[in-house]
PDB file of all heavy atoms in Angstrom:
ATOM      1  N   ILE A 442      -1.445 -14.144   4.568  1.00  0.00           N
ATOM      2  CA  ILE A 442      -0.238 -13.936   3.889  1.00  0.00           C
ATOM      3  C   ILE A 442       0.596 -12.953   4.489  1.00  0.00           C
ATOM      4  O   ILE A 442       0.122 -11.811   4.759  1.00  0.00           O
ATOM      5  CB  ILE A 442      -0.577 -13.477   2.360  1.00  0.00           C
ATOM      6  CG1 ILE A 442      -1.515 -14.467   1.655  1.00  0.00           C
ATOM      7  CG2 ILE A 442       0.751 -13.335   1.584  1.00  0.00           C
ATOM      8  CD1 ILE A 442      -1.983 -14.011   0.289  1.00  0.00           C
ATOM      9  N   SER A 443       1.790 -13.258   4.985  1.00  0.00           N
ATOM     10  CA  SER A 443       2.662 -12.368   5.720  1.00  0.00           C
ATOM     11  C   SER A 443       3.327 -11.269   4.994  1.00  0.00           C
ATOM     12  O   SER A 443       3.397 -11.335   3.641  1.00  0.00           O
ATOM     13  CB  SER A 443       3.713 -13.218   6.401  1.00  0.00           C
ATOM     14  OG  SER A 443       4.718 -13.679   5.460  1.00  0.00           O
ATOM     15  N   LYS A 444       3.718 -10.293   5.563  1.00  0.00           N
ATOM     16  CA  LYS A 444       4.424  -9.207   4.919  1.00  0.00           C
ATOM     17  C   LYS A 444       5.725  -9.740   4.161  1.00  0.00           C
ATOM     18  O   LYS A 444       6.013  -9.210   3.052  1.00  0.00           O
ATOM     19  CB  LYS A 444       4.879  -8.112   5.965  1.00  0.00           C
ATOM     20  CG  LYS A 444       3.741  -7.381   6.657  1.00  0.00           C
ATOM     21  CD  LYS A 444       4.102  -6.240   7.372  1.00  0.00           C
ATOM     22  CE  LYS A 444       5.104  -6.531   8.566  1.00  0.00           C
ATOM     23  NZ  LYS A 444       4.317  -7.057   9.688  1.00  0.00           N
ATOM     24  N   LYS A 445       6.463 -10.647   4.889  1.00  0.00           N
ATOM     25  CA  LYS A 445       7.556 -11.284   4.270  1.00  0.00           C
ATOM     26  C   LYS A 445       7.259 -11.982   2.854  1.00  0.00           C
ATOM     27  O   LYS A 445       7.975 -11.927   1.898  1.00  0.00           O
ATOM     28  CB  LYS A 445       8.218 -12.213   5.175  1.00  0.00           C
ATOM     29  CG  LYS A 445       9.004 -11.636   6.393  1.00  0.00           C
ATOM     30  CD  LYS A 445       9.780 -12.639   7.190  1.00  0.00           C
ATOM     31  CE  LYS A 445      10.542 -11.978   8.275  1.00  0.00           C
ATOM     32  NZ  LYS A 445      11.322 -12.903   9.101  1.00  0.00           N
ATOM     33  N   GLU A 446       6.165 -12.691   2.962  1.00  0.00           N
ATOM     34  CA  GLU A 446       5.762 -13.350   1.698  1.00  0.00           C
ATOM     35  C   GLU A 446       5.356 -12.372   0.576  1.00  0.00           C
ATOM     36  O   GLU A 446       5.696 -12.591  -0.602  1.00  0.00           O
ATOM     37  CB  GLU A 446       4.501 -14.276   1.967  1.00  0.00           C
ATOM     38  CG  GLU A 446       4.818 -15.452   2.800  1.00  0.00           C
ATOM     39  CD  GLU A 446       3.596 -16.337   3.125  1.00  0.00           C
ATOM     40  OE1 GLU A 446       2.659 -15.674   3.662  1.00  0.00           O
ATOM     41  OE2 GLU A 446       3.590 -17.482   2.985  1.00  0.00           O
ATOM     42  N   LEU A 447       4.716 -11.261   0.915  1.00  0.00           N
ATOM     43  CA  LEU A 447       4.312 -10.329  -0.150  1.00  0.00           C
ATOM     44  C   LEU A 447       5.587  -9.616  -0.624  1.00  0.00           C
ATOM     45  O   LEU A 447       5.749  -9.345  -1.777  1.00  0.00           O
ATOM     46  CB  LEU A 447       3.432  -9.242   0.502  1.00  0.00           C
ATOM     47  CG  LEU A 447       1.984  -9.835   0.843  1.00  0.00           C
ATOM     48  CD1 LEU A 447       1.246  -8.709   1.718  1.00  0.00           C
ATOM     49  CD2 LEU A 447       1.328 -10.236  -0.317  1.00  0.00           C
ATOM     50  N   ASP A 448       6.580  -9.312   0.340  1.00  0.00           N
ATOM     51  CA  ASP A 448       7.853  -8.730  -0.081  1.00  0.00           C
ATOM     52  C   ASP A 448       8.523  -9.696  -1.039  1.00  0.00           C
ATOM     53  O   ASP A 448       9.137  -9.253  -2.009  1.00  0.00           O
ATOM     54  CB  ASP A 448       8.707  -8.545   1.153  1.00  0.00           C
ATOM     55  CG  ASP A 448       8.356  -7.278   1.912  1.00  0.00           C
ATOM     56  OD1 ASP A 448       7.427  -6.576   1.357  1.00  0.00           O
ATOM     57  OD2 ASP A 448       8.833  -7.058   2.923  1.00  0.00           O
ATOM     58  N   ALA A 449       8.569 -11.021  -0.782  1.00  0.00           N
ATOM     59  CA  ALA A 449       9.226 -11.930  -1.628  1.00  0.00           C
ATOM     60  C   ALA A 449       8.559 -11.974  -3.049  1.00  0.00           C
ATOM     61  O   ALA A 449       9.217 -12.080  -4.024  1.00  0.00           O
ATOM     62  CB  ALA A 449       9.167 -13.371  -0.954  1.00  0.00           C
ATOM     63  N   LEU A 450       7.262 -11.736  -3.153  1.00  0.00           N
ATOM     64  CA  LEU A 450       6.484 -11.850  -4.377  1.00  0.00           C
ATOM     65  C   LEU A 450       6.892 -10.573  -5.178  1.00  0.00           C
ATOM     66  O   LEU A 450       7.141 -10.681  -6.464  1.00  0.00           O
ATOM     67  CB  LEU A 450       5.066 -11.798  -4.209  1.00  0.00           C
ATOM     68  CG  LEU A 450       4.379 -13.070  -3.623  1.00  0.00           C
ATOM     69  CD1 LEU A 450       2.862 -12.885  -3.425  1.00  0.00           C
ATOM     70  CD2 LEU A 450       4.584 -14.089  -4.623  1.00  0.00           C
ATOM     71  N   LEU A 451       7.187  -9.484  -4.553  1.00  0.00           N
ATOM     72  CA  LEU A 451       7.677  -8.202  -5.239  1.00  0.00           C
ATOM     73  C   LEU A 451       9.023  -8.540  -5.809  1.00  0.00           C
ATOM     74  O   LEU A 451       9.307  -8.200  -6.988  1.00  0.00           O
ATOM     75  CB  LEU A 451       7.800  -7.077  -4.312  1.00  0.00           C
ATOM     76  CG  LEU A 451       6.529  -6.302  -3.954  1.00  0.00           C
ATOM     77  CD1 LEU A 451       6.838  -5.182  -2.986  1.00  0.00           C
ATOM     78  CD2 LEU A 451       5.820  -5.692  -5.224  1.00  0.00           C
ATOM     79  N   LYS A 452       9.963  -9.273  -5.220  1.00  0.00           N
ATOM     80  CA  LYS A 452      11.274  -9.421  -5.616  1.00  0.00           C
ATOM     81  C   LYS A 452      11.459 -10.712  -6.482  1.00  0.00           C
ATOM     82  O   LYS A 452      12.213 -10.536  -7.486  1.00  0.00           O
ATOM     83  CB  LYS A 452      12.116  -9.602  -4.429  1.00  0.00           C
ATOM     84  CG  LYS A 452      13.698  -9.641  -4.683  1.00  0.00           C
ATOM     85  CD  LYS A 452      14.387  -9.805  -3.457  1.00  0.00           C
ATOM     86  CE  LYS A 452      15.974  -9.786  -3.719  1.00  0.00           C
ATOM     87  NZ  LYS A 452      16.762  -9.883  -2.474  1.00  0.00           N
ATOM     88  N   GLU A 453      10.719 -11.643  -6.166  1.00  0.00           N
ATOM     89  CA  GLU A 453      10.981 -13.026  -6.828  1.00  0.00           C
ATOM     90  C   GLU A 453       9.811 -13.604  -7.602  1.00  0.00           C
ATOM     91  O   GLU A 453       9.908 -14.528  -8.299  1.00  0.00           O
ATOM     92  CB  GLU A 453      11.507 -14.019  -5.798  1.00  0.00           C
ATOM     93  CG  GLU A 453      12.691 -13.575  -5.009  1.00  0.00           C
ATOM     94  CD  GLU A 453      12.914 -14.443  -3.770  1.00  0.00           C
ATOM     95  OE1 GLU A 453      12.147 -15.408  -3.579  1.00  0.00           O
ATOM     96  OE2 GLU A 453      13.951 -14.169  -3.048  1.00  0.00           O
ATOM     97  N   GLY A 454       8.583 -13.046  -7.343  1.00  0.00           N
ATOM     98  CA  GLY A 454       7.378 -13.634  -8.006  1.00  0.00           C
ATOM     99  C   GLY A 454       7.411 -13.249  -9.438  1.00  0.00           C
ATOM    100  O   GLY A 454       8.104 -12.408  -9.979  1.00  0.00           O
ATOM    101  N   ASP A 455       6.539 -13.958 -10.204  1.00  0.00           N
ATOM    102  CA  ASP A 455       6.405 -13.646 -11.664  1.00  0.00           C
ATOM    103  C   ASP A 455       5.674 -12.291 -11.713  1.00  0.00           C
ATOM    104  O   ASP A 455       5.258 -11.638 -10.818  1.00  0.00           O
ATOM    105  CB  ASP A 455       5.618 -14.712 -12.314  1.00  0.00           C
ATOM    106  CG  ASP A 455       4.247 -14.933 -11.936  1.00  0.00           C
ATOM    107  OD1 ASP A 455       3.522 -13.912 -11.540  1.00  0.00           O
ATOM    108  OD2 ASP A 455       3.752 -16.086 -12.049  1.00  0.00           O
ATOM    109  N   ALA A 456       5.569 -11.844 -13.043  1.00  0.00           N
ATOM    110  CA  ALA A 456       5.046 -10.524 -13.306  1.00  0.00           C
ATOM    111  C   ALA A 456       3.581 -10.267 -12.730  1.00  0.00           C
ATOM    112  O   ALA A 456       3.212  -9.207 -12.194  1.00  0.00           O
ATOM    113  CB  ALA A 456       5.117 -10.177 -14.782  1.00  0.00           C
ATOM    114  N   THR A 457       2.783 -11.297 -12.803  1.00  0.00           N
ATOM    115  CA  THR A 457       1.407 -11.123 -12.372  1.00  0.00           C
ATOM    116  C   THR A 457       1.380 -11.082 -10.922  1.00  0.00           C
ATOM    117  O   THR A 457       0.616 -10.215 -10.376  1.00  0.00           O
ATOM    118  CB  THR A 457       0.536 -12.388 -12.857  1.00  0.00           C
ATOM    119  OG1 THR A 457       0.551 -12.428 -14.320  1.00  0.00           O
ATOM    120  CG2 THR A 457      -0.846 -12.191 -12.416  1.00  0.00           C
ATOM    121  N   GLU A 458       2.111 -11.884 -10.179  1.00  0.00           N
ATOM    122  CA  GLU A 458       2.123 -11.787  -8.775  1.00  0.00           C
ATOM    123  C   GLU A 458       2.629 -10.483  -8.171  1.00  0.00           C
ATOM    124  O   GLU A 458       2.072  -9.825  -7.350  1.00  0.00           O
ATOM    125  CB  GLU A 458       3.057 -12.918  -8.244  1.00  0.00           C
ATOM    126  CG  GLU A 458       2.461 -14.364  -8.451  1.00  0.00           C
ATOM    127  CD  GLU A 458       3.439 -15.382  -8.007  1.00  0.00           C
ATOM    128  OE1 GLU A 458       4.637 -15.205  -8.188  1.00  0.00           O
ATOM    129  OE2 GLU A 458       2.993 -16.569  -7.811  1.00  0.00           O
ATOM    130  N   ALA A 459       3.811  -9.984  -8.758  1.00  0.00           N
ATOM    131  CA  ALA A 459       4.291  -8.596  -8.468  1.00  0.00           C
ATOM    132  C   ALA A 459       3.364  -7.555  -8.712  1.00  0.00           C
ATOM    133  O   ALA A 459       3.207  -6.624  -7.891  1.00  0.00           O
ATOM    134  CB  ALA A 459       5.643  -8.525  -9.082  1.00  0.00           C
ATOM    135  N   ALA A 460       2.694  -7.562  -9.848  1.00  0.00           N
ATOM    136  CA  ALA A 460       1.779  -6.597 -10.283  1.00  0.00           C
ATOM    137  C   ALA A 460       0.513  -6.501  -9.356  1.00  0.00           C
ATOM    138  O   ALA A 460       0.051  -5.455  -9.007  1.00  0.00           O
ATOM    139  CB  ALA A 460       1.361  -6.798 -11.713  1.00  0.00           C
ATOM    140  N   LEU A 461       0.182  -7.731  -8.851  1.00  0.00           N
ATOM    141  CA  LEU A 461      -0.926  -7.787  -8.009  1.00  0.00           C
ATOM    142  C   LEU A 461      -0.584  -7.058  -6.672  1.00  0.00           C
ATOM    143  O   LEU A 461      -1.430  -6.294  -6.010  1.00  0.00           O
ATOM    144  CB  LEU A 461      -1.354  -9.223  -7.726  1.00  0.00           C
ATOM    145  CG  LEU A 461      -2.409  -9.548  -6.626  1.00  0.00           C
ATOM    146  CD1 LEU A 461      -3.714  -8.841  -7.038  1.00  0.00           C
ATOM    147  CD2 LEU A 461      -2.727 -10.969  -6.477  1.00  0.00           C
ATOM    148  N   VAL A 462       0.562  -7.335  -6.108  1.00  0.00           N
ATOM    149  CA  VAL A 462       0.975  -6.786  -4.930  1.00  0.00           C
ATOM    150  C   VAL A 462       1.115  -5.241  -5.074  1.00  0.00           C
ATOM    151  O   VAL A 462       0.745  -4.438  -4.171  1.00  0.00           O
ATOM    152  CB  VAL A 462       2.264  -7.413  -4.441  1.00  0.00           C
ATOM    153  CG1 VAL A 462       2.722  -6.727  -3.107  1.00  0.00           C
ATOM    154  CG2 VAL A 462       2.130  -8.801  -4.098  1.00  0.00           C
ATOM    155  N   LEU A 463       1.660  -4.860  -6.121  1.00  0.00           N
ATOM    156  CA  LEU A 463       1.822  -3.415  -6.401  1.00  0.00           C
ATOM    157  C   LEU A 463       0.549  -2.719  -6.616  1.00  0.00           C
ATOM    158  O   LEU A 463       0.410  -1.620  -6.159  1.00  0.00           O
ATOM    159  CB  LEU A 463       2.664  -3.236  -7.690  1.00  0.00           C
ATOM    160  CG  LEU A 463       4.153  -3.521  -7.619  1.00  0.00           C
ATOM    161  CD1 LEU A 463       4.871  -3.389  -8.921  1.00  0.00           C
ATOM    162  CD2 LEU A 463       4.791  -2.353  -6.636  1.00  0.00           C
ATOM    163  N   GLY A 464      -0.393  -3.433  -7.101  1.00  0.00           N
ATOM    164  CA  GLY A 464      -1.787  -2.790  -7.203  1.00  0.00           C
ATOM    165  C   GLY A 464      -2.331  -2.496  -5.812  1.00  0.00           C
ATOM    166  O   GLY A 464      -2.983  -1.441  -5.618  1.00  0.00           O
ATOM    167  N   ALA A 465      -2.069  -3.437  -4.821  1.00  0.00           N
ATOM    168  CA  ALA A 465      -2.565  -3.330  -3.409  1.00  0.00           C
ATOM    169  C   ALA A 465      -1.799  -2.139  -2.821  1.00  0.00           C
ATOM    170  O   ALA A 465      -2.413  -1.330  -2.158  1.00  0.00           O
ATOM    171  CB  ALA A 465      -2.462  -4.503  -2.694  1.00  0.00           C
ATOM    172  N   VAL A 466      -0.457  -2.066  -3.211  1.00  0.00           N
ATOM    173  CA  VAL A 466       0.345  -1.038  -2.544  1.00  0.00           C
ATOM    174  C   VAL A 466      -0.179   0.368  -3.095  1.00  0.00           C
ATOM    175  O   VAL A 466      -0.417   1.408  -2.279  1.00  0.00           O
ATOM    176  CB  VAL A 466       1.819  -1.121  -3.061  1.00  0.00           C
ATOM    177  CG1 VAL A 466       2.670   0.186  -2.753  1.00  0.00           C
ATOM    178  CG2 VAL A 466       2.494  -2.308  -2.310  1.00  0.00           C
ATOM    179  N   GLU A 467      -0.584   0.410  -4.320  1.00  0.00           N
ATOM    180  CA  GLU A 467      -1.042   1.704  -4.875  1.00  0.00           C
ATOM    181  C   GLU A 467      -2.393   2.113  -4.232  1.00  0.00           C
ATOM    182  O   GLU A 467      -2.656   3.236  -3.838  1.00  0.00           O
ATOM    183  CB  GLU A 467      -1.256   1.603  -6.394  1.00  0.00           C
ATOM    184  CG  GLU A 467      -2.016   2.722  -7.150  1.00  0.00           C
ATOM    185  CD  GLU A 467      -1.138   3.994  -7.085  1.00  0.00           C
ATOM    186  OE1 GLU A 467       0.094   3.928  -6.842  1.00  0.00           O
ATOM    187  OE2 GLU A 467      -1.751   5.117  -7.207  1.00  0.00           O
ATOM    188  N   GLY A 468      -3.349   1.097  -4.119  1.00  0.00           N
ATOM    189  CA  GLY A 468      -4.596   1.310  -3.468  1.00  0.00           C
ATOM    190  C   GLY A 468      -4.370   1.894  -2.051  1.00  0.00           C
ATOM    191  O   GLY A 468      -5.128   2.788  -1.546  1.00  0.00           O
ATOM    192  N   PHE A 469      -3.536   1.166  -1.260  1.00  0.00           N
ATOM    193  CA  PHE A 469      -3.233   1.612   0.109  1.00  0.00           C
ATOM    194  C   PHE A 469      -2.626   2.965   0.194  1.00  0.00           C
ATOM    195  O   PHE A 469      -2.952   3.832   1.007  1.00  0.00           O
ATOM    196  CB  PHE A 469      -2.299   0.536   0.837  1.00  0.00           C
ATOM    197  CG  PHE A 469      -2.145   0.893   2.275  1.00  0.00           C
ATOM    198  CD1 PHE A 469      -3.114   0.580   3.222  1.00  0.00           C
ATOM    199  CD2 PHE A 469      -0.971   1.477   2.684  1.00  0.00           C
ATOM    200  CE1 PHE A 469      -2.752   0.859   4.564  1.00  0.00           C
ATOM    201  CE2 PHE A 469      -0.740   1.900   4.024  1.00  0.00           C
ATOM    202  CZ  PHE A 469      -1.581   1.499   4.874  1.00  0.00           C
ATOM    203  N   ALA A 470      -1.721   3.288  -0.882  1.00  0.00           N
ATOM    204  CA  ALA A 470      -1.042   4.631  -0.688  1.00  0.00           C
ATOM    205  C   ALA A 470      -2.130   5.708  -1.035  1.00  0.00           C
ATOM    206  O   ALA A 470      -2.039   6.799  -0.396  1.00  0.00           O
ATOM    207  CB  ALA A 470      -0.044   4.638  -1.812  1.00  0.00           C
ATOM    208  N   GLN A 471      -3.020   5.407  -1.906  1.00  0.00           N
ATOM    209  CA  GLN A 471      -4.150   6.454  -2.168  1.00  0.00           C
ATOM    210  C   GLN A 471      -4.983   6.614  -0.814  1.00  0.00           C
ATOM    211  O   GLN A 471      -5.374   7.771  -0.437  1.00  0.00           O
ATOM    212  CB  GLN A 471      -5.076   5.967  -3.220  1.00  0.00           C
ATOM    213  CG  GLN A 471      -4.365   5.935  -4.537  1.00  0.00           C
ATOM    214  CD  GLN A 471      -4.127   7.228  -5.221  1.00  0.00           C
ATOM    215  OE1 GLN A 471      -4.665   8.236  -4.784  1.00  0.00           O
ATOM    216  NE2 GLN A 471      -3.377   7.185  -6.392  1.00  0.00           N
ATOM    217  N   SER A 472      -5.143   5.584  -0.111  1.00  0.00           N
ATOM    218  CA  SER A 472      -5.932   5.716   1.196  1.00  0.00           C
ATOM    219  C   SER A 472      -5.176   6.369   2.213  1.00  0.00           C
ATOM    220  O   SER A 472      -5.669   7.224   2.928  1.00  0.00           O
ATOM    221  CB  SER A 472      -6.303   4.198   1.662  1.00  0.00           C
ATOM    222  OG  SER A 472      -7.242   3.545   0.830  1.00  0.00           O
ATOM    223  N   LEU A 473      -3.887   6.146   2.316  1.00  0.00           N
ATOM    224  CA  LEU A 473      -2.998   6.849   3.314  1.00  0.00           C
ATOM    225  C   LEU A 473      -2.876   8.299   2.973  1.00  0.00           C
ATOM    226  O   LEU A 473      -2.991   9.168   3.842  1.00  0.00           O
ATOM    227  CB  LEU A 473      -1.516   6.238   3.240  1.00  0.00           C
ATOM    228  CG  LEU A 473      -0.473   6.883   4.083  1.00  0.00           C
ATOM    229  CD1 LEU A 473      -0.942   6.824   5.498  1.00  0.00           C
ATOM    230  CD2 LEU A 473       0.880   6.250   3.962  1.00  0.00           C
ATOM    231  N   ALA A 474      -2.833   8.726   1.638  1.00  0.00           N
ATOM    232  CA  ALA A 474      -2.810  10.175   1.243  1.00  0.00           C
ATOM    233  C   ALA A 474      -4.243  10.750   1.655  1.00  0.00           C
ATOM    234  O   ALA A 474      -4.210  11.903   2.110  1.00  0.00           O
ATOM    235  CB  ALA A 474      -2.554  10.222  -0.241  1.00  0.00           C
ATOM    236  N   PHE A 475      -5.201  10.006   1.436  1.00  0.00           N
ATOM    237  CA  PHE A 475      -6.596  10.517   1.881  1.00  0.00           C
ATOM    238  C   PHE A 475      -6.665  10.745   3.354  1.00  0.00           C
ATOM    239  O   PHE A 475      -7.049  11.888   3.756  1.00  0.00           O
ATOM    240  CB  PHE A 475      -7.658   9.442   1.502  1.00  0.00           C
ATOM    241  CG  PHE A 475      -8.985   9.756   2.017  1.00  0.00           C
ATOM    242  CD1 PHE A 475      -9.823  10.808   1.449  1.00  0.00           C
ATOM    243  CD2 PHE A 475      -9.437   9.119   3.230  1.00  0.00           C
ATOM    244  CE1 PHE A 475     -11.114  11.106   1.985  1.00  0.00           C
ATOM    245  CE2 PHE A 475     -10.681   9.513   3.723  1.00  0.00           C
ATOM    246  CZ  PHE A 475     -11.562  10.453   3.138  1.00  0.00           C
ATOM    247  N   VAL A 476      -6.142   9.827   4.166  1.00  0.00           N
ATOM    248  CA  VAL A 476      -6.087  10.015   5.602  1.00  0.00           C
ATOM    249  C   VAL A 476      -5.329  11.260   6.020  1.00  0.00           C
ATOM    250  O   VAL A 476      -5.726  12.155   6.822  1.00  0.00           O
ATOM    251  CB  VAL A 476      -5.641   8.736   6.342  1.00  0.00           C
ATOM    252  CG1 VAL A 476      -5.413   9.078   7.773  1.00  0.00           C
ATOM    253  CG2 VAL A 476      -6.570   7.643   6.079  1.00  0.00           C
ATOM    254  N   ILE A 477      -4.148  11.450   5.445  1.00  0.00           N
ATOM    255  CA  ILE A 477      -3.265  12.568   5.723  1.00  0.00           C
ATOM    256  C   ILE A 477      -3.968  13.918   5.333  1.00  0.00           C
ATOM    257  O   ILE A 477      -3.895  14.895   6.078  1.00  0.00           O
ATOM    258  CB  ILE A 477      -1.879  12.417   4.979  1.00  0.00           C
ATOM    259  CG1 ILE A 477      -1.187  11.270   5.665  1.00  0.00           C
ATOM    260  CG2 ILE A 477      -1.094  13.754   5.116  1.00  0.00           C
ATOM    261  CD1 ILE A 477       0.093  10.896   4.857  1.00  0.00           C
ATOM    262  N   ARG A 478      -4.693  13.811   4.229  1.00  0.00           N
ATOM    263  CA  ARG A 478      -5.445  15.060   3.882  1.00  0.00           C
ATOM    264  C   ARG A 478      -6.454  15.487   4.855  1.00  0.00           C
ATOM    265  O   ARG A 478      -6.585  16.687   5.276  1.00  0.00           O
ATOM    266  CB  ARG A 478      -6.180  14.941   2.544  1.00  0.00           C
ATOM    267  CG  ARG A 478      -5.282  14.801   1.255  1.00  0.00           C
ATOM    268  CD  ARG A 478      -6.238  14.801   0.085  1.00  0.00           C
ATOM    269  NE  ARG A 478      -5.450  14.090  -1.033  1.00  0.00           N
ATOM    270  CZ  ARG A 478      -5.792  12.905  -1.362  1.00  0.00           C
ATOM    271  NH1 ARG A 478      -6.742  12.204  -0.872  1.00  0.00           N
ATOM    272  NH2 ARG A 478      -5.110  12.271  -2.403  1.00  0.00           N
ATOM    273  N   ARG A 479      -7.089  14.435   5.412  1.00  0.00           N
ATOM    274  CA  ARG A 479      -8.034  14.723   6.530  1.00  0.00           C
ATOM    275  C   ARG A 479      -7.504  15.208   7.854  1.00  0.00           C
ATOM    276  O   ARG A 479      -8.004  16.098   8.516  1.00  0.00           O
ATOM    277  CB  ARG A 479      -8.951  13.484   6.860  1.00  0.00           C
ATOM    278  CG  ARG A 479      -9.845  13.015   5.659  1.00  0.00           C
ATOM    279  CD  ARG A 479     -10.940  14.184   5.459  1.00  0.00           C
ATOM    280  NE  ARG A 479     -11.574  14.394   6.657  1.00  0.00           N
ATOM    281  CZ  ARG A 479     -12.740  13.816   7.071  1.00  0.00           C
ATOM    282  NH1 ARG A 479     -13.269  12.808   6.402  1.00  0.00           N
ATOM    283  NH2 ARG A 479     -13.313  14.126   8.287  1.00  0.00           N
ATOM    284  N   PHE A 480      -6.352  14.620   8.150  1.00  0.00           N
ATOM    285  CA  PHE A 480      -5.657  15.042   9.320  1.00  0.00           C
ATOM    286  C   PHE A 480      -5.060  16.499   9.245  1.00  0.00           C
ATOM    287  O   PHE A 480      -5.286  17.333  10.185  1.00  0.00           O
ATOM    288  CB  PHE A 480      -4.525  14.132   9.661  1.00  0.00           C
ATOM    289  CG  PHE A 480      -4.828  12.990  10.622  1.00  0.00           C
ATOM    290  CD1 PHE A 480      -5.161  11.758  10.072  1.00  0.00           C
ATOM    291  CD2 PHE A 480      -4.766  13.132  11.958  1.00  0.00           C
ATOM    292  CE1 PHE A 480      -5.552  10.682  10.873  1.00  0.00           C
ATOM    293  CE2 PHE A 480      -5.185  12.093  12.760  1.00  0.00           C
ATOM    294  CZ  PHE A 480      -5.533  10.848  12.234  1.00  0.00           C
ATOM    295  N   THR A 481      -4.572  16.861   8.033  1.00  0.00           N
ATOM    296  CA  THR A 481      -4.068  18.254   7.919  1.00  0.00           C
ATOM    297  C   THR A 481      -5.089  19.242   7.926  1.00  0.00           C
ATOM    298  O   THR A 481      -4.856  20.403   7.889  1.00  0.00           O
ATOM    299  CB  THR A 481      -3.152  18.320   6.732  1.00  0.00           C
ATOM    300  OG1 THR A 481      -3.918  17.854   5.573  1.00  0.00           O
ATOM    301  CG2 THR A 481      -1.942  17.491   6.817  1.00  0.00           C
ATOM    302  N   ARG A 482      -6.411  18.880   7.794  1.00  0.00           N
ATOM    303  CA  ARG A 482      -7.479  19.828   7.972  1.00  0.00           C
ATOM    304  C   ARG A 482      -7.798  20.295   9.287  1.00  0.00           C
ATOM    305  O   ARG A 482      -8.557  21.237   9.672  1.00  0.00           O
ATOM    306  CB  ARG A 482      -8.800  19.332   7.291  1.00  0.00           C
ATOM    307  CG  ARG A 482      -8.702  19.280   5.757  1.00  0.00           C
ATOM    308  CD  ARG A 482      -9.805  18.431   5.121  1.00  0.00           C
ATOM    309  NE  ARG A 482     -11.111  18.584   5.715  1.00  0.00           N
ATOM    310  CZ  ARG A 482     -12.091  17.801   5.283  1.00  0.00           C
ATOM    311  NH1 ARG A 482     -11.936  16.779   4.305  1.00  0.00           N
ATOM    312  NH2 ARG A 482     -13.357  18.031   5.715  1.00  0.00           N
ATOM    313  N   LEU A 483      -7.174  19.487  10.256  1.00  0.00           N
ATOM    314  CA  LEU A 483      -7.413  19.744  11.776  1.00  0.00           C
ATOM    315  C   LEU A 483      -6.421  20.772  12.156  1.00  0.00           C
ATOM    316  O   LEU A 483      -5.332  20.966  11.717  1.00  0.00           O
ATOM    317  CB  LEU A 483      -7.168  18.490  12.538  1.00  0.00           C
ATOM    318  CG  LEU A 483      -8.010  17.315  12.310  1.00  0.00           C
ATOM    319  CD1 LEU A 483      -7.518  16.058  13.096  1.00  0.00           C
ATOM    320  CD2 LEU A 483      -9.503  17.588  12.622  1.00  0.00           C
ATOM    321  N   LYS A 484      -6.789  21.678  13.211  1.00  0.00           N
ATOM    322  CA  LYS A 484      -6.029  22.802  13.714  1.00  0.00           C
ATOM    323  C   LYS A 484      -4.688  22.357  14.079  1.00  0.00           C
ATOM    324  O   LYS A 484      -3.685  23.054  13.761  1.00  0.00           O
ATOM    325  CB  LYS A 484      -6.791  23.478  14.854  1.00  0.00           C
ATOM    326  CG  LYS A 484      -6.030  24.673  15.415  1.00  0.00           C
ATOM    327  CD  LYS A 484      -6.795  25.205  16.612  1.00  0.00           C
ATOM    328  CE  LYS A 484      -6.093  26.360  17.200  1.00  0.00           C
ATOM    329  NZ  LYS A 484      -6.721  26.967  18.333  1.00  0.00           N
TER     330      LYS A 484
END
């Protein structure tokens, strides 16, 4: 599933489709924040 298709689901998909993509965005954002915390512990 391409990034363009996922972007389209956010904009034009039904509520369940958009919510599913947003759920993945939230999970990834949490992971990105975790990675940044680890990097900022380095000198």
Side-chain angles (χ1 to χ4, degrees):
I442 303 174
S443 70
K444 296 191 294 286
K445 285 186 178 180
E446 290 174 309
L447 294 173
D448 284 351
L450 289 175
L451 279 179
K452 185 177 181 181
E453 303 165 1
D455 63 33
T457 301
E458 292 170 333
L461 176 59
V462 177
L463 283 173
V466 167
E467 173 65 22
F469 182 82
Q471 294 286 349
S472 294
L473 179 57
F475 170 81
V476 170
I477 290 171
R478 289 187 210 105
R479 289 298 306 273
F480 270 93
T481 55
R482 284 162 52 183
L483 301 173
K484 179 180 178 181

